Amino acid sequence: MSPGVAQGGQTVGGAPGDGQNDLAPLARGVTAALTWGFRIGAALLAVGVALAVLRREPLNREAEPFVEVLPAVLEGSAAGVVDLAILWLMTTPVLAVVALLVGFLRLGDRRYAVLSLLVLLVLGISIGLALRR
Amino acid sequence: VVAARGVSVDAGLLIGFGVVAAVAAILGSMLGLGGGVFLVPILTLFFGVDQKVAIGASAVAVVTNSVVGSSVHVRSGFTNLRLAVLLQVTTAAGATAGALFGVGADPAIVSAVFGAVLLYAAISMLLRGDKRPTAGGVATPAGDPAPTRAPPAVPADRWRLDDSFLDPATGGTVRYAPRRLPLGLGVSVGAGVISGMLGVGGGVVMVPAMNLAMAVPVKAAVGTSAFMVGITSVATAFVFYSQGEIDPTVVVPAVVGVLLGGQFGSRLTRRLRAQRLAALFSAILFYLGLSLLLQAFGVTLPGQR
């Protein structure tokens, strides 16, 4: 093996060094979606758990349906805030895919924009089922 | 005192769930399997948590862990975003199908499949021993923009999947182009089905598939898989949520435990040679897998519920 060549290395295509450097702005968008998604979710979870402990309020045995979560939060229910935090955390990767879709569209990469949209549509099946609950 | 389906839950038990999730995440992190592989069997076998509630909790914990972990990988340039999107189409479809099957399936069938997956993981880990997957890719020394040898063109190139990343271990740039795209897409379906049905991340299938079958370097495979498992588990989590199987009294300690355990496990992995513990870990996996298989046939081992 020649110096500098990784073990098992034999696979490079395209112009050397081009890679996916064009995706740097897109990667920043995805990172921002994931980072802020987690921060908001973690903050909601912390608030919900703190409220539950301070008020000695039990958590739900089953996360409430979508339509009942916001009213519960507005009523100041700790369990409602925890349910919202869980749903927010579950949704955060979807935001990252939306960031990918927007990023690919801005780059004019229609093929990967369509693929991102396909991923969202597939995820939409399970989210649609959840909305019908 | 609160109550979760199938088991009475007090504050002590909630903390117990958190500790179990942390331990599961540490083990999973050290083995690169993810926490769900250990979390679901331990919750069901030793705490009597309803199987579907445990899978739903695991899926939410996997999503959260992926959100935290993959943001680091994406920032570091390890995640191949085009490859992730491409494989995610079939993985998400498989996960949705797997979750729809799993959420309505007889728990004995799910236990049997889970047991078989764990036994497979245990045996493959034992056989693998100290052998690590190939690094893959062509590395260029730091400051040298040109690759050290001319590589062959690959069919996957028309998908613009070739990528590069800076390897902090060597200081050089690793360039690679994934191969055997149809095989990768096929494996992704299987990984998605397993992930959706069992609430595990699917990285246990995707990382070796990307590395060994598609010639993606390990770091890029791990970074790409870490991003994908979060999206895959979204499908699982929402299907289980739609059926009322997301129980906050299990999910909250699982999420907190997996996050803390995952961080600790990553640091521990750098200090310990996890491969040296392969025999012990594979024995644990074997025991859990066998227990689930026996449970599927109505046999409960001592100390289990």
Side-chain angles (χ1 to χ4, degrees):
Chain A
M1 191 169 69
S2 59
V5 177
Q7 184 188 359
Q10 71 272 1
T11 57
V12 169
D18 57 357
Q20 295 184 17
N21 290 337
D22 57 323
L23 300 190
L26 196 155
R28 280 196 292 275
V30 171
T31 305
L34 293 171
T35 305
W36 282 102
F38 173 72
R39 285 177 183 169
I40 293 169
L44 284 170
L45 196 61
V47 169
V49 171
L51 283 174
V53 171
L54 290 172
R55 295 181 188 165
R56 296 177 178 277
E57 190 181 314
L59 301 181
N60 289 328
R61 294 169 56 188
E62 187 180 308
E64 297 285 355
F66 278 125
V67 290
E68 293 173 24
V69 172
L70 268 185
V73 172
L74 293 175
E75 285 171 13
S77 156
V81 178
V82 169
D83 286 355
L84 180 64
I86 292 170
L87 286 172
W88 179 265
L89 288 170
M90 283 163 56
T91 310
T92 295
V94 182
L95 301 178
V97 183
V98 172
L100 279 173
L101 171 64
V102 173
F104 281 125
L105 281 175
R106 281 185 178 168
L107 288 170
D109 192 336
R110 278 183 291 178
R111 175 183 282 177
Y112 280 92
V114 169
L115 287 170
S116 303
L117 189 61
L118 266 177
V119 173
L120 286 175
L121 288 174
V122 174
L123 295 179
I125 295 171
S126 58
I127 294 173
L129 285 172
L131 283 169
R132 286 178 56 191
R133 184 178 156 210
Chain B
V1 177
V2 291
R5 224 166 328 165
V7 60
S8 296
V9 180
D10 57 22
L13 204 52
L14 284 177
I15 294 169
F17 287 164
V19 171
V20 163
V23 171
I26 290 169
L27 291 172
S29 172
M30 291 178 75
L31 297 176
L33 297 177
V37 165
F38 292 97
L39 181 61
V40 176
I42 294 174
L43 284 179
T44 53
L45 289 170
F46 298 102
F47 287 84
V49 174
D50 181 270
Q51 183 191 65
K52 291 178 174 58
V53 167
I55 291 174
S58 174
V60 179
V62 168
V63 169
T64 311
N65 207 28
S66 163
V67 165
V68 175
S70 62
S71 61
V72 177
H73 287 300
V74 173
R75 198 180 297 123
S76 305
F78 294 147
T79 306
N80 186 327
L81 289 170
R82 284 198 175 96
L83 180 62
V85 170
L86 189 53
L87 296 180
Q88 194 61 64
V89 176
T90 51
T91 313
T96 305
L100 285 171
F101 174 77
V103 81
D106 185 332
I109 294 173
V110 177
S111 287
V113 174
F114 213 139
V117 169
L118 291 187
L119 287 178
Y120 165 77
I123 291 167
S124 62
M125 185 179 299
L126 205 59
L127 293 178
R128 194 172 61 201
D130 279 340
K131 280 185 260 176
R132 289 170 181 271
T134 55
V138 174
T140 305
D144 181 357
T148 49
R149 61 174 168 166
V154 290
D157 194 39
R158 72 187 179 92
W159 288 92
R160 301 177 66 197
L161 294 172
D162 56 300
D163 200 1
S164 62
F165 61 88
L166 183 68
D167 189 344
T170 62
T173 301
V174 178
R175 298 189 173 89
Y176 66 96
R179 303 169 133 188
R180 299 189 188 120
L181 194 52
L183 178 62
L185 288 168
V187 171
S188 298
V189 179
V193 170
I194 290 172
S195 174
M197 192 175 168
L198 309 178
V200 299
V204 63
V205 178
M206 286 312 299
V207 173
M210 276 192 264
N211 180 240
L212 299 174
M214 300 183 73
V216 176
V218 172
K219 282 178 181 161
V222 170
T224 306
S225 170
F227 181 61
M228 288 177 62
V229 295
I231 301 168
T232 306
S233 294
V234 166
T236 312
F238 274 107
V239 167
F240 278 76
Y241 172 78
S242 74
Q243 300 301 311
E245 303 291 358
I246 297 296
D247 180 344
T249 63
V250 183
V251 169
V252 173
V255 165
V256 175
V258 164
L259 277 175
L260 295 178
Q263 298 294 316
F264 184 67
S266 300
R267 288 188 173 87
L268 203 60
T269 307
R270 289 186 211 125
R271 289 166 181 258
L272 294 176
R273 291 190 175 215
Q275 294 294 324
R276 289 192 175 173
L277 302 173
L280 174 66
F281 287 151
S282 61
I284 297 171
L285 281 174
F286 192 87
Y287 168 73
L288 291 174
L290 189 65
S291 299
L292 286 172
L293 269 182
L294 290 172
Q295 190 189 56
F297 292 99
V299 180
T300 305
L301 295 177
Q304 297 176 358
R305 301 190 183 192

